[in-house]
Amino acid sequence: MSGLQIWACPVCGEELEQQGRSYRCPNRHTYDLSAKGYLNLLLVNQRKSKDPGDNKQMVAARRNVLEAGHFRMLSDALSLLAVRLAEELAGRQEDKLTILDAGCGEGYYLECMDTRLRQSGVDARLYGTDISKDAIAMAAGNSTGIQYAVASSKKLPVLSESADGVFQIFAPHSDSEFSRVLRGGGRLVTVIPGKHHLYGLKELLYPQPYLNDEAEHPYPSFTVLEKQRIQSELVLTEPSAIRDLVMMTPYYWRTEPAMLEKLMERRELRTPLEFIVTTYGKR
């Protein structure tokens, strides 16, 4: 590994080397940067549809909710974990701190980490992958140095043992891939919804709302080091904000149009927010 980047060829797994606006591996597989500066490393046979992942509507809605600060307590907690990781690894490595957000969406949490790390004087390299081209396009358009690629978390186009931290936030999981790309002493940080997360929204959508089961994905290659429960209440008083919250969730696609229309006409929505943040160490 050259130490300059972590991307690997999705075809052969060899290191990609940047040459102008292209990345090329020793076997001459070549990938061009898009106009917005991201790589598309998702192979055709890794797609389950023509345009997998979140569409432009969902991506824009989520961005609006996040930029309004409604999930600030979560972004602050994740940014603090990134700084703590830098402190733990200080003096143990010659290379810069390297963080990968696998399933990064439109890049909001990575941007928050980048800001907090810079404020703490940490020189880091941040990378994000997502299967949604629309999400990565938005992330890259807002980027000030973070590198992004369209890719699947099930087969990351990332060099083995090239990352110090992997963040998986409401995104697909892969024990084997996360273990492969993490260096020794690295950390995996996951976020899943708590049992009461968005329960107030579900009360309005469903005659029999249900609690989330808080089931953690199995990570046999890792050991749990820390678990946090983050709770807050979200109060929305603008129809556009309520619409954005609904559209950023899977409930938007599972609910009858008439019910959605009625919900979006409300003048107020109150719901708990609850996140389970787990930090793992690589075995």
Side-chain angles (χ1 to χ4, degrees):
M1 178 179 162
S2 66
L4 298 178
Q5 61 87 35
I6 67 173
W7 299 130
C9 176
V11 175
C12 64
E14 295 290 335
E15 181 177 3
L16 290 176
E17 180 180 347
Q18 186 171 9
Q19 300 175 0
R21 291 193 60 80
S22 297
Y23 281 73
R24 180 175 296 178
C25 76
N27 294 315
R28 297 185 177 276
H29 300 124
T30 303
Y31 309 89
D32 295 329
L33 285 169
S34 72
K36 290 192 175 181
Y38 66 86
L39 288 170
N40 192 335
L41 301 179
L42 183 68
L43 300 178
V44 173
N45 61 8
Q46 295 173 335
R47 302 174 185 173
K48 294 183 179 180
S49 64
K50 182 179 179 181
D51 294 305
D54 295 343
N55 61 28
K56 288 183 179 180
Q57 287 179 305
M58 294 184 72
V59 170
R62 184 168 59 238
R63 189 73 190 193
N64 290 340
V65 170
L66 294 175
E67 285 191 339
H70 298 313
F71 285 29
R72 180 71 54 78
M73 75 297 293
L74 177 59
S75 63
D76 285 348
L78 296 175
S79 297
L80 179 58
L81 286 174
V83 172
R84 282 175 50 189
L85 177 60
E87 293 171 347
E88 290 175 9
L89 296 178
R92 300 187 196 176
Q93 58 186 48
E94 298 178 359
D95 203 1
K96 293 181 181 180
L97 177 76
T98 302
I99 289 177
L100 169 68
D101 186 349
C104 66
E106 73 304 313
Y108 174 80
Y109 295 109
L110 266 180
E111 292 168 22
C112 292
M113 288 184 223
D114 186 43
T115 298
R116 185 66 176 269
L117 287 166
R118 290 176 186 274
Q119 291 173 345
S120 301
V122 178
D123 192 8
R125 296 180 313 197
L126 277 63
Y127 298 83
T129 61
D130 200 281
I131 202 168
S132 167
K133 185 176 178 180
D134 289 326
I136 289 296
M138 179 176 286
N142 293 322
S143 176
T144 56
I146 302 170
Q147 294 189 42
Y148 290 101
V150 181
S152 169
S153 292
K154 301 296 183 181
K155 189 171 176 57
L156 289 165
V158 173
L159 296 170
S160 297
E161 298 187 0
S162 60
D164 299 299
V166 172
F167 285 72
Q168 183 256 339
I169 308 165
F170 296 118
H173 61 97
S174 175
D175 173 80
S176 60
E177 280 296 88
F178 295 164
S179 177
R180 179 184 65 81
V181 303
L182 272 173
R183 294 170 177 152
R187 297 288 183 264
L188 168 65
V189 178
T190 69
V191 182
I192 64 170
K195 65 174 62 177
H196 298 102
H197 186 60
L198 296 181
Y199 190 78
L201 175 59
K202 289 191 281 190
E203 283 185 308
L204 299 174
L205 290 175
Y206 305 127
Q208 295 181 319
Y210 57 91
L211 296 175
N212 300 315
D213 61 12
E214 295 189 359
E216 297 272 10
H217 299 304
Y219 290 105
S221 301
F222 296 86
T223 300
V224 175
L225 301 179
E226 180 183 11
K227 193 179 291 285
Q228 303 178 55
R229 183 180 298 273
I230 301 173
Q231 296 172 295
S232 182
E233 182 184 42
L234 176 63
V235 180
L236 300 177
T237 56
E238 295 291 335
S240 60
I242 295 173
R243 175 182 293 271
D244 285 335
L245 179 67
V246 177
M247 287 186 66
M248 70 175 274
T249 71
Y251 310 133
Y252 181 75
W253 308 104
R254 301 174 186 169
T255 306
E256 293 293 331
M259 179 64 72
L260 286 173
E261 185 175 344
K262 184 177 180 180
L263 172 65
M264 293 176 182
E265 291 175 353
R266 294 181 63 88
R267 296 184 178 181
E268 181 179 275
L269 186 151
R270 291 177 177 266
T271 184
L273 299 180
E274 187 173 25
F275 314 97
I276 308 298
V277 181
T278 306
T279 301
Y280 296 86
K282 183 176 176 181
R283 291 185 186 274

